[in-house]
């Protein structure tokens, strides 16, 4: 039975780009209780995303939903903020 991991659309504010990832509920047992996951840990669970995403908050009512963010303008290939991409993201956000 394949594990169905669901990925939200990305959304943003003036500082960060966000997304949430929903793991199958049965995978909750594999999560460390009350701890944020490192990139190595969430990738080991099968979560696939470009670089730069950080698991930043635990959604206590539903721990199988992982909340991620990365700074606006992050280059998905390097995980680093690119000034040109940041400028483009800010211009898009202000529209």
């Amino acid at each position: 039975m394949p594990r169905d991991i669901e990925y939200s659309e990305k959304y943003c504010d003036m500082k960060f780009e966000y997304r949430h990832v929903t793991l199958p509920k049965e995978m909750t047992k594999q999560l460390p209780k009350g701890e944020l996951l490192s990139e190595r840990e969430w990738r080991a669970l099968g979560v696939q995303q470009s670089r730069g995403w950080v698991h930043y908050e635990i959604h206590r009512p539903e721990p199988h939903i992982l909340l991620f963010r990365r700074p606006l303008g992050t280059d998905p290939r390097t995980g680093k903020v690119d000034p040109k991409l940041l400028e483009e993201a800010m211009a898009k956000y202000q529209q």
Side-chain angles (χ1 to χ4, degrees):
M1 174 171 137
R3 295 194 276 191
D4 294 325
I5 296 174
E6 296 179 16
Y7 300 85
S8 74
E9 293 294 322
K10 294 180 245 178
Y11 46 100
C12 67
D13 61 20
M14 291 203 53
K15 291 186 178 185
F16 294 100
E17 181 175 32
Y18 301 90
R19 79 169 344 158
H20 57 273
V21 175
T22 304
L23 302 174
K25 286 185 181 182
E26 61 271 10
M27 288 182 72
T28 303
K29 297 176 196 127
Q30 297 175 341
L31 301 175
K33 193 166 187 157
E35 293 181 30
L36 297 174
L37 301 176
S38 68
E39 182 173 351
R40 175 180 281 163
E41 290 171 319
W42 55 258
R43 286 193 187 280
L45 292 171
V47 175
Q48 297 179 1
Q49 305 185 93
S50 55
R51 294 185 177 184
W53 291 102
V54 174
H55 180 216
Y56 76 99
E57 191 172 331
I58 297 169
H59 185 57
R60 299 240 183 258
E62 298 176 296
H64 66 287
I65 298 176
L66 307 180
L67 304 174
F68 290 91
R69 72 178 180 191
R70 65 180 175 188
L72 275 184
T74 298
D75 183 328
R77 293 168 290 155
T78 66
K80 308 274 186 219
V81 174
D82 178 308
K84 185 176 180 189
L85 291 175
L86 176 57
E87 185 178 318
E88 290 171 6
M90 292 299 291
K92 185 177 177 181
Y93 179 78
Q94 292 174 348
Q95 289 179 352

